[in-house]
Amino acid sequence: FSNRLVYPIRDINGTIVNIGGRTLAPDWKDRGLRKYTYFSGWGDGMNVIYGLFENMKYILDKREVIIFEGCKSVLIADSWGIRNTGALLTSHVSENQLKIFVRLGCRVVFALDKDVRIRDDCNIGKLKRYVDVEYLWDRADLLDDKDSPVDKGKAIFQTLYEQRLRY
C-alpha cells in the first residue's frame, strides 16, 4: 500500500542484514507514510555502509570512497559509472560506521545532502585522525536545500566533486 522500492542491505561480507524500502508515492507525507523504512531494527546503531560490499573493488582500486546519505544516490552514481561509493542510510556517521571507515584505510569523501553540516558530526571529526577526509560543499548554490549532490545531474555532481574541500 505504500508503493515502496525495496532493496537488500548487505554487511561488508555480503550477508543481507536488512531490507530497506523507499516509497515512490508522491503524496507520502499526506498519507502519513515514512519516506524510508527498514524491515528490521538496527539494534545498537547503524553498523553497515550501503553499497560497500558491492563496490569494494572500485573503492580499493581508487583508494577512495564517496559517501552519500541514501542508497538512491549510490544507484544514481553507479548509473554514471561512479562505483567507489557507499551510503550511511542516515545523515550522520555512527560509531560502528566510523570503525568501518578506519579499517578501510582510504580517503573518505562525504557527499551528504545540502542541508547537512558535515563539520557538526563529531564522528567525522574523529575520523580525520585516521584517514584523509574531504567533503562536497555547495558554495555556488547549485543545489536546493534538501538535495543530494547527485540530484541535479552528473555535471553538477562533477563540479561539486572537483571543488571538494579537505576537512
Side-chain angles (χ1 to χ4, degrees):
F1 82 95
S2 60
N3 191 21
R4 291 194 184 278
L5 173 69
V6 295
Y7 47 90
I9 300 170
R10 298 175 188 276
D11 66 14
I12 201 163
N13 300 312
T15 303
I16 295 175
V17 295
N18 210 331
I19 302 292
R22 183 184 195 277
T23 187
L24 301 175
D27 60 344
W28 61 273
K29 281 186 183 178
D30 297 335
R31 293 174 52 194
L33 300 173
R34 292 182 6 198
K35 187 174 186 179
Y36 292 96
T37 191
Y38 301 101
F39 293 94
S40 296
W42 287 109
D44 294 350
M46 193 65 67
N47 60 0
V48 298
I49 298 166
Y50 175 82
L52 197 64
F53 172 76
E54 294 85 350
N55 293 332
M56 186 63 75
K57 174 193 178 314
Y58 305 98
I59 293 165
L60 295 177
D61 286 350
K62 286 195 148 238
R63 302 294 306 142
E64 173 190 89
V65 60
I66 301 169
I67 295 296
F68 299 106
E69 279 187 49
C71 68
K72 178 191 75 159
S73 298
V74 171
L75 299 173
I76 290 171
D78 180 71
S79 75
W80 298 334
I82 302 169
R83 300 286 309 272
N84 59 316
T85 62
L88 299 174
L89 302 177
T90 186
S91 62
H92 59 278
V93 175
S94 73
E95 288 284 333
N96 294 327
Q97 290 170 325
L98 171 69
K99 293 173 186 173
I100 293 169
F101 288 132
V102 170
R103 283 192 302 262
L104 263 180
C106 63
R107 179 175 54 239
V108 180
V109 179
F110 288 96
L112 304 182
D113 292 3
K114 181 175 179 170
D115 62 341
V116 176
R117 298 194 46 84
I118 290 168
R119 289 182 167 267
D120 291 345
D121 187 317
C122 66
N123 283 329
I124 294 175
K126 290 177 191 176
L127 180 61
K128 71 179 186 165
R129 295 182 217 158
Y130 303 99
V131 298
D132 289 335
V133 174
E134 297 175 350
Y135 60 98
L136 277 57
W137 188 253
D138 182 21
R139 292 173 290 209
D141 210 25
L142 302 171
L143 303 172
D144 294 331
D145 287 341
K146 299 278 186 186
D147 280 348
S148 165
V150 298
D151 285 348
K152 297 292 185 190
K154 185 176 182 181
I156 298 290
F157 173 76
Q158 291 286 29
T159 298
L160 294 169
Y161 178 82
E162 289 166 8
Q163 297 173 355
R164 67 193 181 277
L165 301 172
R166 184 179 171 100
Y167 190 116

